[in-house]
Amino acid sequence: MMCDIERRKQVEGESTDSAIDVRGLRVTYADGTTAVDGIDMTVRKGEFFGYLGPNGAGKTTTIKVLATLLTPSDGEVRVNGFNVRTDSRNVRKSIGYMAQETVVDPELTVEENVRFACETYGVPRDERGRRISTLLSLVDLADVADKPADKLSGGMQKRLDAATALVHEPPVVFLDEPTTGLDPEGRDRLWDYFQRINDQGTTIVLTTQYLEEADKLCDRLVLVQDGSVIVKGSPNDLKGRGGDEILDVELTGDQSARRRAAEIARDLGPFNSNAIEETDNGISVTGNSVREHGTMLLVTLDEAGISVVGFDIRKPTLDDVFLAVTGEGLA
Amino acid sequence: MTDELSGNSFGGDVVVNTKRWGLKAIRNPFVLAVSLIQPLVFLVLFLTVFGNVAGTAVNDTIPGISYESFLLPAIIMQVALASAVSSGVGLVNDIETGMFEKILASPMRPSAMLLGKIIADFARIVVQIAIVVVIGLLLGTQIKTGTLGILGVVGVGVVFSGWYLAFSNALAVLTEDQESTTLVANLLQLPLLFLSSSFLPVNALPEWIRPVALVNPVTYGVDVARSIILGRNVVSDLPLANSPLEALLILFVFDFLFAVAGIFFLLTRTRSDVQ
């Protein structure tokens, strides 16, 4: 049976491939600050989509527009085919939203929190029991179902928050920096959880400052800075754009040793056209011949009395790509 | 999927919220107890300290009434005010923890969310007023209209609380800050009580206070409750009402006006602050 959303899209003559369509989105706050300045993007159904950027880039503002918590100043935004301006209630029926801060009702138990979410979204009464037990198992909270939410650890509260955002099995879920503040184990568990629901067909839009997270989870991503999209593509595409391999050389000594090492690298024939940078603990050389001629550099540094304590040849990460594009890292 | 995307009816949204806030009140009986403490302290202290002195002034205006019976309606209104403050604090908590925004991102209607919360608050106020009435009876208050009178007095307390519930929730939405909401709402409580017929009849109040007392909702609530306790019309010489029924209607008008203002502020808060 055709669902409401698909029927609506066909009536409106839209492609049913896109879960989110954003055209010329602009958001200017009442104090005159423009947080989002002309963003265009499309998120395809079933995609795990990353929306990245440094603090103040406009990520949360954009997510709030998509979740109908903010009205755009300009532009057209459709979620699941519904216009966020004119059809906001239908948008809200068809999305899950997990805010940046962990949001649970501290006075209710774990199960009561999920039950309240079921009731909020009108999950049919005879479905609720199954839905609650499935979700609590999925987020590994079944054993603490009767515990008050304020007695849970931060990671458990975050998982409970995630479960409450998904009780109605929405086709689109917005995750606004969902793993900020979690320990590595808690982060891994949430990643696994998000991956599983995405595998089941849920479209996920993720904002994050952790590029490792975006690299691991996202099919496609955009990088926003100062309210505008500056890079878009799949993580592999973007890393490919980073181009050549990177040789990281770790040195002992102070800044003068690093400066000398950089000068030596620049004077060496194979590296003189490469990007050479001083890092916190050594130098970094990016180029197409670092694997071939890296040993030569290490030997030359040693002969010059500069002590090398370690080295690594690696492919560019998203961090390198974004550093090159924005001139600064995300975190 | 159609069903899954249907959300609730307006009534369904209200019930879901009433249930949630009711559950929270049960889980946190501290809130229920705290808003009873000050009124009960007032009840005992006023009876002990002013009982003999004020009893004469009271009897001059309303012959045949004991100070216990005269005071109980005031304490009921005080409980209603104190309890209404904690309603606003509950909403601020929701705003501060993000629950408010989380619900706004769901299909739930903001007005149903507020109505459900107010209904749960009313239920809490009924329990609190009932406790005060029982204590009042134990301390010697006589309710001449019997069980119906007791129910009536509780009902008047609930109707009276409506405007202050709306006020404290509007404050919560405006300030989005627990301290500011508590401070302002608590600060107004005592002036509202003392600038009314709560502790002395309006005629026995200083002259400059009388005009204020005559437009103060507390006077309307207290006078209606007092009339029910005595079984006769003891409504002060109010400019807007001459009988308990008229005074009750005025209370409903206060409730309506403040509810409209509260909903206006809530809806303003739920809209964006973008240009």
Side-chain angles (χ1 to χ4, degrees):
Chain A
M1 196 171 74
M2 195 188 296
C3 77
D4 271 0
I5 292 171
E6 284 172 349
R7 195 179 303 119
R8 175 74 68 100
K9 281 179 180 171
Q10 289 195 358
V11 169
E12 294 179 355
E14 289 175 26
S15 160
T16 54
D17 289 339
S18 63
I20 295 166
D21 273 307
V22 178
R23 295 286 163 261
L25 173 62
R26 194 174 58 79
V27 180
T28 303
Y29 286 104
D31 65 1
T33 309
T34 297
V36 177
D37 194 10
I39 281 183
D40 296 304
M41 65 177 187
T42 301
V43 179
R44 293 189 280 267
K45 274 185 173 177
E47 203 168 27
F48 208 128
F49 188 84
Y51 195 73
L52 317 184
N55 279 333
K59 302 187 297 289
T60 296
T61 300
T62 305
I63 293 294
K64 285 193 172 182
V65 169
L66 295 172
T68 77
L69 293 168
L70 278 177
T71 306
S73 308
D74 202 4
E76 180 159 325
V77 180
R78 287 181 177 274
V79 178
N80 288 319
F82 302 114
N83 189 314
V84 295
R85 241 187 253 271
T86 57
D87 219 351
S88 58
R89 189 149 188 266
N90 274 325
V91 171
R92 291 196 293 270
K93 285 179 186 176
S94 66
I95 61 166
Y97 169 65
M98 191 172 164
Q100 199 167 332
E101 308 79 22
T102 306
V103 183
V104 294
D105 189 323
E107 284 160 341
L108 302 187
T109 66
V110 169
E111 189 195 328
E112 284 165 352
N113 265 284
V114 184
R115 188 173 295 280
F116 173 67
C118 283
E119 291 169 349
T120 297
Y121 283 93
V123 173
R125 194 178 293 270
D126 55 354
E127 265 284 301
R128 286 178 201 159
R130 183 192 65 79
R131 208 70 74 86
I132 291 167
S133 96
T134 307
L135 276 170
L136 290 184
S137 300
L138 194 65
V139 294
D140 291 331
L141 292 175
D143 294 342
V144 291
D146 296 326
K147 218 172 174 180
D150 63 351
K151 302 284 184 236
L152 302 181
S153 67
M156 289 164 111
Q157 286 189 356
K158 203 80 181 171
R159 298 208 303 273
L160 173 60
D161 189 13
T164 59
L166 296 160
V167 288
H168 52 307
E169 296 175 351
V172 173
V173 176
F174 298 109
L175 307 172
D176 193 2
E177 304 203 12
T179 56
T180 301
L182 288 187
D183 57 30
E185 191 200 345
R187 196 177 295 178
D188 280 350
R189 289 173 93 156
L190 265 188
W191 284 355
D192 180 48
Y193 173 44
F194 296 147
Q195 195 68 69
R196 273 190 275 167
I197 60 166
N198 179 243
D199 289 345
Q200 289 163 12
T202 306
T203 307
I204 296 181
V205 177
L206 167 84
T207 77
T208 184
Q209 293 185 54
Y210 301 126
L211 295 169
E212 181 198 359
E213 182 167 87
D215 196 2
K216 182 178 166 73
L217 297 172
C218 296
D219 302 316
R220 235 163 26 102
L221 45 89
V222 295
L223 172 69
V224 286
Q225 193 178 33
D226 298 330
S228 305
V229 174
I230 54 171
V231 182
K232 57 172 87 173
S234 72
N236 284 338
D237 282 349
L238 294 176
K239 284 185 287 187
R241 281 187 223 172
D244 303 322
E245 290 185 312
I246 297 162
L247 167 63
D248 290 320
V249 183
E250 192 181 340
L251 307 169
T252 55
D254 56 11
Q255 196 184 359
S256 65
R258 295 196 289 275
R259 194 174 302 133
R260 262 188 69 220
E263 281 166 11
I264 289 170
R266 282 188 198 101
D267 291 342
L268 273 180
F271 300 122
N272 59 13
S273 61
N274 290 167
I276 298 165
E277 285 174 14
E278 291 176 38
T279 60
D280 290 342
N281 56 1
I283 60 169
S284 144
V285 183
T286 306
N288 56 11
S289 63
V290 293
R291 190 170 289 275
E292 192 182 347
H293 298 111
T295 316
M296 184 200 296
L297 173 62
L298 298 176
V299 169
T300 311
L301 290 175
D302 189 49
E303 286 171 356
I306 298 172
S307 176
V308 176
V309 292
F311 67 92
D312 182 33
I313 296 176
R314 60 181 175 83
K315 290 190 180 302
T317 62
L318 285 177
D319 266 317
D320 299 312
V321 176
F322 291 153
L323 190 61
V325 173
T326 65
E328 55 182 308
L330 286 197
Chain B
M1 197 156 185
T2 306
D3 282 346
E4 288 169 25
L5 293 178
S6 61
N8 293 310
S9 62
F10 183 86
D13 280 349
V14 172
V15 170
V16 168
N17 276 289
T18 304
K19 211 172 126 185
R20 172 178 172 239
W21 285 100
L23 209 52
K24 283 164 74 71
I26 294 167
R27 289 287 149 73
N28 195 357
F30 180 73
V31 172
L32 190 136
V34 161
S35 39
L36 275 176
I37 290 172
Q38 196 187 38
L40 289 178
V41 168
F42 264 58
L43 180 62
V44 174
L45 285 184
F46 267 72
L47 284 180
T48 313
V49 179
F50 300 121
N52 290 335
V53 185
T56 314
V58 164
N59 256 300
D60 286 348
T61 312
I62 308 171
I65 191 170
S66 67
Y67 195 59
E68 289 85 353
S69 303
F70 181 84
L71 194 58
L72 185 65
I75 302 302
I76 288 171
M77 300 313 140
Q78 193 182 2
V79 168
L81 289 175
S83 190
V85 175
S86 51
S87 170
V89 172
L91 186 61
V92 171
N93 267 333
D94 252 22
I95 293 171
E96 286 179 345
T97 60
M99 278 301 286
F100 185 76
E101 189 176 80
K102 187 173 188 170
I103 294 171
L104 289 182
S106 79
M108 192 166 274
R109 298 159 184 85
S111 49
M113 172 171 73
L114 188 64
L115 185 58
K117 180 182 184 310
I118 296 285
I119 290 172
D121 288 334
F122 277 144
R124 181 166 50 86
I125 290 171
V126 165
V127 172
Q128 288 172 307
I129 293 177
I131 292 171
V132 167
V133 170
V134 169
I135 292 172
L137 290 171
L138 292 174
L139 290 175
T141 301
Q142 289 175 324
I143 299 182
K144 295 190 174 166
T145 42
T147 311
L148 269 182
I150 292 174
L151 294 176
V153 164
V154 174
V156 171
V158 171
V159 172
F160 167 78
S161 67
W163 75 278
Y164 214 62
L165 271 177
F167 174 71
S168 74
N169 279 282
L171 263 182
V173 169
L174 278 175
T175 65
E176 298 186 13
D177 178 65
Q178 202 175 130
E179 281 178 12
S180 310
T181 303
T182 313
L183 191 73
V184 176
N186 277 334
L187 209 64
L188 287 175
Q189 267 190 66
L190 290 183
L192 278 167
L193 283 167
F194 281 95
L195 302 179
S196 75
S197 60
S198 291
F199 303 117
L200 284 172
V202 173
N203 294 342
L205 292 170
E207 228 165 273
W208 68 270
I209 292 180
R210 285 180 208 168
V212 182
L214 293 176
V215 292
N216 183 344
V218 179
T219 301
Y220 289 80
V222 164
D223 284 3
V224 176
R226 229 167 245 160
S227 299
I228 292 174
I229 285 179
L230 290 174
R232 63 192 159 95
N233 181 3
V234 290
V235 169
S236 311
D237 190 15
L238 301 172
L240 299 170
N242 295 315
S243 69
L245 192 62
E246 285 175 2
L248 191 64
L249 281 175
I250 297 294
L251 281 181
F252 276 114
V253 172
F254 275 118
D255 288 352
F256 176 76
L257 293 177
F258 277 84
V260 168
I263 290 169
F264 169 77
F265 286 123
L266 178 77
L267 294 180
T268 306
R269 167 66 173 75
T270 59
R271 286 193 209 112
S272 65
D273 50 352
V274 297
Q275 285 182 351

